Amino acid sequence: MSIYVFGHTSPDSDSIVGAISLSYLKNKLGEDCIPTRQGEISNETEFILSKFGGKVPELKTSYAGEKVYLVDFSDLAQAPKDIKQATILGIVDHHKLGDLTTDTPLECWIRPIGCSNTVIKEMYDYHKVEIPKDIAGMMMCAILSDTVIFKSPTCTKVDTKAVKELAAICGVEDYKALAMEMFIAKSAVEGASARNLNTRDYKEFDMNGTRVGVGQLEMVDISVLESRIDELFEDMQRMKDENSLHTIVILLTDIMKEGSRLLTLSDDVSKIETAFKTKLENNQAWLEGVLSRKKQVIPFLQPQF
Ligand code: MG
Ligand code: MG
Ligand code: MG
């Protein structure tokens, strides 16, 4: 019976590439693994796959009775609905430990570093398995994406070293130029609906019994969204109602200015103001230096609930 390997809902490049790179490694180690995904791929992921000739993993949202490896998450709210009926063989991640539990022992590779694909790179090294050129290129891009070209506070020496080694394997000399091309592809907003923008990189969290949604748009220039702020708020209100959220936060992250414009709708805005030590104006604030949801946003929101 095949084992499925997949990342979180609203999959980002780390989730998709991680499914591919971890499946390849596991297959080399004698486990029959198939990479899958829980949702549509992003412009950025499409850019990476086409650059290195990667195949889009098959869409699969139900896993009852299956054996699985999870990549890039351990939160129930980001898992398939029937995950409790699946056997989790292992988790490879770089987020806070979530609320998933298992009935059987499992393999865990969870490290406080910039990207799940950096953890997977360490697994290849540990098992002494050679990384093919195409997979190395995709892993390199996933790390450059998650670490925002090394600017994110989540980035560590392990990540920069992994990128350099992967760049040598895939034969890309100027990996920062390639990363800029990738972020420009990611920043395309023309023709995108407000819902598409709000959910491109969107995660829900159960914060002490309270449901909180946090989306992030990482762009090379967020000013192109200036004329669409009202529309984003209208859709945030719909998302808040549809999913019975206490709070929804959308971060418009400007990777060149190195900060985020926070948009929020909340049943109690004082929680947001306290969390980020700021005063909201029209339900908005500029958070200087904030690039990382997992390190600079979630840890400050969580204690408010
Ligand atoms: Mg991710
Ligand atoms: Mg990641
Ligand atoms: Mg990210």
Side-chain angles (χ1 to χ4, degrees), residues 194-195 198-199 202-204 210-216 232-251 262-269 272 276 280 283 297 301 305:
R195 179 58 58 98
N198 282 339
T199 57
Y202 175 75
K203 291 179 179 174
E204 283 185 5
T210 305
R211 224 168 159 79
V212 177
V214 185
Q216 184 176 30
L232 293 179
F233 267 113
E234 282 161 27
D235 187 61
M236 284 164 65
Q237 184 62 56
R238 281 191 290 271
M239 289 171 70
K240 187 171 177 296
D241 296 340
E242 284 164 21
N243 303 328
S244 312
L245 303 172
H246 175 284
T247 296
I248 179 165
V249 171
I250 299 292
L251 299 158
L262 173 143
L263 318 181
T264 188
L265 292 174
S266 175
D267 293 347
D268 181 0
V269 288
I272 312 297
F276 302 108
L280 293 171
N283 293 310
V297 176
L301 268 181
F305 291 93

Side-chain angles (χ1 to χ4, degrees), residues 121-138:
K121 165 76 168 61
E122 296 195 307
M123 294 173 73
Y124 273 88
D125 293 345
Y126 175 83
H127 290 291
K128 297 190 174 62
V129 171
E130 215 176 293
I131 308 176
K133 254 186 159 182
D134 56 335
I135 292 184
M138 292 188 276

Side-chain angles (χ1 to χ4, degrees), residues 7-12 15 38-39 73 77-80 202-203:
H8 53 77
T9 47
S10 299
D12 57 1
S15 276
Q38 292 196 65
F73 76 103
Q78 296 154 30
Y202 175 75
K203 291 179 179 174

Side-chain angles (χ1 to χ4, degrees), residues 51-230:
K51 181 87 198 169
F52 294 99
K55 241 182 74 199
V56 181
E58 73 178 77
L59 179 70
K60 184 170 165 64
T61 53
S62 175
Y63 293 89
E66 309 285 8
K67 289 181 176 162
V68 300
Y69 282 107
L70 309 182
V71 182
D72 204 35
F73 76 103
S74 66
D75 264 296
L76 205 46
Q78 296 154 30
K81 297 248 176 310
D82 57 1
I83 191 70
K84 283 182 177 159
Q85 282 108 56
T87 304
I88 301 172
L89 298 181
I91 300 173
V92 180
D93 193 16
H94 67 129
H95 292 86
K96 75 178 178 70
L97 187 59
D99 50 2
L100 273 167
T101 55
T102 63
D103 300 328
T104 48
L106 78 165
E107 176 182 5
C108 264
W109 293 72
I110 303 178
R111 304 250 285 124
I113 56 180
C115 185
S116 297
N117 271 280
T118 307
V119 184
I120 297 171
K121 165 76 168 61
E122 296 195 307
M123 294 173 73
Y124 273 88
D125 293 345
Y126 175 83
H127 290 291
K128 297 190 174 62
V129 171
E130 215 176 293
I131 308 176
K133 254 186 159 182
D134 56 335
I135 292 184
M138 292 188 276
M139 291 171 75
M140 175 186 79
C141 284
I143 302 170
L144 288 163
S145 167
D146 260 13
T147 62
V148 193
I149 323 182
F150 307 152
K151 290 189 211 186
S152 171
T154 59
C155 186
T156 67
K157 281 188 185 134
V158 190
D159 301 292
T160 51
K161 181 168 168 276
V163 164
K164 282 172 193 154
E165 290 175 10
L166 292 165
I169 297 170
C170 71
V172 171
E173 253 169 63
D174 195 348
Y175 52 81
K176 287 196 178 175
L178 176 62
M180 264 321 279
E181 261 185 76
M182 178 178 78
F183 273 100
I184 289 166
K186 184 177 202 166
S187 302
V189 293
E190 235 173 288
S193 65
R195 179 58 58 98
N196 172 290
L197 296 171
N198 282 339
T199 57
R200 261 188 200 182
D201 182 359
Y202 175 75
K203 291 179 179 174
E204 283 185 5
F205 301 86
D206 180 338
M207 296 191 177
N208 230 337
T210 305
R211 224 168 159 79
V212 177
V214 185
Q216 184 176 30
L217 274 170
E218 286 170 329
M219 302 180 59
V220 287
D221 178 10
I222 61 168
S223 70
V224 300
L225 286 174
E226 196 58 61
S227 62
R228 305 197 58 187
I229 299 295
D230 291 345

